[in-house]
Amino acid sequence: MWATQELPEWSSFIQSALVWRATLHDEDVDHAATLPETHLFAHAVLALCENIP
């Protein structure tokens, strides 16, 4: 997957996000618990975008 190659430091998060997406409607999964790491990822990617010439 290109994202894990381009952002190797976020590789495990990206893989987890794919699992979270697959369990979107699973009531046994605490989706709110994924929010803090998702925010960190979003801010990191935004920072990368802001530094593109």
Side-chain angles (χ1 to χ4, degrees):
M1 169 179 287
W2 72 266
T4 57
Q5 293 173 354
E6 293 296 320
L7 304 166
E9 66 276 23
W10 290 100
S11 180
S12 64
F13 170 79
I14 293 167
Q15 294 299 324
S16 293
L18 293 172
V19 173
W20 300 333
R21 179 70 176 136
T23 61
L24 182 63
H25 300 292
D26 188 340
E27 294 179 11
D28 296 326
V29 176
D30 183 5
H31 296 287
T34 67
L35 208 50
E37 192 172 11
T38 302
H39 283 158
L40 289 174
F41 176 74
H43 286 281
V45 172
L46 284 171
L48 289 172
C49 291
E50 290 173 347
N51 292 322
I52 295 174

